[in-house]
Amino acid sequence: MKIKNKKLKVYYVIFSLLLIIAIITFIFIGIKYGGNQINEKESKEVVAQVREEEQQGKTEPIQFYGMPVIGIIRIPKIELEYPILEETTKQTMKKAITRFSGGAVNEYGNLALAGHNNKDGTMFGKTKKLEVGDQIELTDLKKQTISYKITEIFVTDPNDVTILATKDEAIREVTLITCTNGNKERLIIKAQEI
């Protein structure tokens, strides 16, 4: 009888520990994805503000989490629309799409934009659905929207800086950079002005 009671106690302790671990895991997942959804909502509000000011002819700079917004990225196929923040830091990458390198939005040359590949589909989380020929739209601070056609999609090493090079100074290019494979590689999407 004592052996059965000891076994039951051991099973109870193991079950209790597993239950606690499961609850903590769900809480952390909820916090992470809940935060992503809040960022998504706030990003949409900033995009709406930029669009509204565009219609009213205003040109005042807009801030998002203390960082200047330099444009808007829109990818119709995956229903992505985010403000583009001026600088890439750990903090700005948590909030929106960021300029990794290059000049102003819609300038000639290569503008590289970075964003997280969130599993819940926010930010660049749906970019794996894109194909060569799909379109990316960038709106700059002058409220000019230019369409770009995807020309290449590939995976590369995180240390590959060749993706930042401008192929031709006389054309407009955009390079989207996001993580893949548990941050071991980078998914690169290159597009040129149509």
Side-chain angles (χ1 to χ4, degrees):
M1 193 74 149
K2 284 187 176 185
I3 294 174
K4 273 189 176 181
N5 284 342
K6 282 185 179 183
K7 281 185 177 180
L8 284 175
K9 285 180 183 180
V10 170
Y11 288 138
Y12 178 75
V13 169
I14 291 171
F15 176 75
S16 297
L17 287 173
L18 290 174
L19 184 61
I20 290 169
I21 291 169
I23 290 170
I24 291 171
T25 302
F26 285 123
I27 289 171
F28 280 119
I29 289 171
I31 289 170
K32 178 177 172 145
Y33 290 128
N36 288 349
Q37 295 307 314
I38 290 169
N39 284 344
E40 187 86 355
K41 180 180 181 268
E42 291 172 346
S43 290
K44 286 180 182 182
E45 290 169 0
V46 169
V47 167
Q49 182 182 353
V50 171
R51 299 274 187 224
E52 183 179 318
E53 289 190 5
E54 177 181 359
Q55 290 176 350
Q56 296 174 358
K58 293 181 182 176
T59 57
E60 298 169 18
I62 294 175
Q63 299 272 318
F64 186 51
Y65 285 98
M67 181 63 65
V69 174
I70 61 168
I72 297 172
I73 180 171
R74 181 172 176 269
I75 306 176
K77 181 177 181 177
I78 57 174
E79 298 176 359
L80 177 144
E81 191 168 35
Y82 272 91
I84 302 168
L85 300 183
E86 181 178 56
E87 189 179 322
T88 299
T89 68
K90 284 184 178 183
Q91 293 305 316
T92 58
M93 292 252 330
K94 291 178 183 177
K95 304 299 180 188
I97 306 305
T98 63
R99 175 176 55 190
F100 188 75
S101 74
V105 174
N106 292 331
E107 272 188 355
Y108 287 95
N110 185 20
L111 174 66
L113 303 175
H116 281 302
N117 186 353
N118 293 331
K119 292 183 187 211
D120 64 354
T122 56
M123 290 199 201
F124 283 163
K126 296 179 187 172
T127 52
K128 59 186 161 282
K129 297 179 181 179
L130 295 174
E131 301 171 314
V132 171
D134 290 337
Q135 287 190 22
I136 298 169
E137 297 172 2
L138 298 182
T139 302
D140 56 39
L141 292 178
K142 298 172 192 164
K143 313 305 185 218
Q144 176 186 21
T145 299
I146 294 180
S147 293
Y148 297 78
K149 184 169 87 172
I150 295 174
T151 57
E152 294 178 78
I153 300 173
F154 58 93
V155 174
T156 190
D157 180 85
N159 299 316
D160 182 2
V161 294
T162 62
I163 60 169
L164 305 175
T166 299
K167 290 182 182 178
D168 184 345
E169 293 289 340
I171 61 170
R172 292 180 174 102
E173 299 175 79
V174 63
T175 300
L176 307 184
I177 306 167
T178 193
C179 299
T180 185
N181 240 1
N183 206 16
K184 293 177 186 166
E185 296 176 309
R186 298 289 180 262
L187 175 64
I188 306 301
I189 299 169
K190 289 195 154 285
Q192 291 184 355
E193 179 183 12
I194 298 174

